[in-house]
Amino acid sequence: MEIKPCVNIRQEWDIVGARQLGREKAKELGFGTVDQARIATAISELARNIYLYAGTGKVYFETIDRLDKKGLKVVAVDEGPGIRDLSQVMQDGYSTSGGLGAGLPGVKRLMDTFEINTEWGEGTEIIAVKWVR
Amino acid sequence: MKKEKLDLEDYRKLLKQYLLTHDETALYQAEQLSKLSVQHNVSPEEIIHVHIEALKELYPNLQKEVSDSLNFLLEAMISYGLALQEYQSLREKQSALESEISVAANMQKTLLQTKKPTIKGLDIGAVSVPANQMNGDYYHFIEGADGTLGIALADVIGKGVPAALAMSMIKYSMDSFPEQLRQPAQILESLNRVVERNVDTSMFITMFYGLYNPVSQTFGFSSAGHEPGFFYFHETESFSEITARGLVLGATSDARYNEEIMTIAEGDAIILLTDGVTECHLGDRFIERDEVLEVIKHYLHLPAQEAVEKVYKHFERLQDFHLRDDFTLIILKKEN
Ligand SMILES: Nc1ncnc2c1ncn2[C@@H]1O[C@H](COP(=O)(O)OP(=O)(O)OP(=O)(O)O)[C@@H](O)[C@H]1O
Ligand SMILES: [Mg+2]
């Protein structure tokens, strides 16, 4: 099995590392500058959430190379407290930064697919994919 | 949501035109393009991207620092793009919500409909206007088989949807009361129990109930903490407050209400209102009850319906056509 490129998130500085690794992978896959910036921002949001709410966790990347399309999969996992009220969290305007468009709804917009698995008290896993256009 | 691709070719031409001529026309077109982009949900980072590409085409030997700095700008714009998208989606949500509320408001109107009865010797006028879409005031006329006329007037403190829901409940409880239940105090006592059992204690409902008897020419009434109305005595050309003491609905389970009785003569008038009338704001000042009375006095000689409408229009204008609270006013004029 291929070893997945991975960044452990333990301190704020690690968010930058995750962005950087994600951007490199995106560049390799042939994403344009706009999409690179979007992917990096999505990674930031996910990594920041881990840093802020779970304390520690990791972000790893998978390149998807299919016949019909190529893409980058970003996975953020932690064993933090989990998210209790998901549907509320996924609503626009809910995030604590208050209607700046970022947060998890922002990640959903920045990426093409967005999946979240979370169990209250057990942790959170977020999987998001962006396809090369 | 549809995304329209910003046309690189057009942008490049426009940019070139501007760089060569510093032409205001090009800037005007850029403004149009900017509006169109917002409309089509094109985010700022995409525009910057197109800008960079156009610039590279025009100046193949563009200084590296310049193109790098533009890439930096692009990154810095990402959040603005997200905020734009969030704004669009919130706007859609808002308009969905608004149309939902207007459907509810129409339903409420139908539910709370009351027919203004024609009673010999009594000229009746009534207006009730919500501050927002849904009304937290409510009035209802109930004609009895014995020829008496019941007048219910209630006000939920607070407005909007919760107030409207509470009102619908009051209306349906009243509809379910037996025909013989006509006495104001009894009606308020029954409603008090309904409200006490079904409505959150944080919600206050005040109510006035009056019963006009054309045979004895009397007006009996009880009040559950409701804003006092006024009697107008034709003989002395004077006003007095309609006072009746009683707790707001739902405060305790066994509230008792007093019932007062007045005799009314030809030319007298009964004026009932909610605090949306007496608590009109003028800038940051409440107007006084005396001022309200002045206005009512001014129009009282008119037919009752015309009078209430004139009074309403007066206060609507006074408050710059922006009601702060639901406004209900009923005038009953005794004729011969
Ligand atoms: N990995 C996580 N573990 C536990 N809770 C989380 C996690 N990620 C998000 N949350 C919870 O979900 C909420 C919403 O997160 P989101 O990123 O959308 O907004 P925010 O972090 O509050 O504000 P912003 O990201 O805009 O600064 C957070 O306030 C937090 O309570
Ligand atoms: Mg966040």
Side-chain angles (χ1 to χ4, degrees), chain A residues 44-46 48-50 52-53 95-97 102-104:
Chain A
S44 261
E45 291 292 332
L46 296 176
R48 260 186 77 80
N49 281 355
I50 291 177
L52 287 175
Y53 309 117
S95 82
T96 43
S97 59
L104 293 176

Side-chain angles (χ1 to χ4, degrees), chain A residues 20-71:
Chain A
Q20 186 155 20
L21 188 57
R23 190 189 298 273
E24 272 164 31
K25 296 289 145 201
K27 244 183 223 164
E28 280 169 26
L29 275 160
F31 280 102
T33 43
V34 175
D35 280 347
Q36 282 176 36
R38 288 181 176 151
I39 291 168
T41 305
I43 295 167
S44 261
E45 291 292 332
L46 296 176
R48 260 186 77 80
N49 281 355
I50 291 177
Y51 167 69
L52 287 175
Y53 309 117
T56 59
K58 58 186 178 182
V59 177
Y60 63 84
F61 305 97
E62 275 174 48
T63 53
I64 305 172
D65 199 347
R66 290 207 227 135
L67 274 181
D68 53 336
K69 54 185 169 182
K70 287 196 291 187

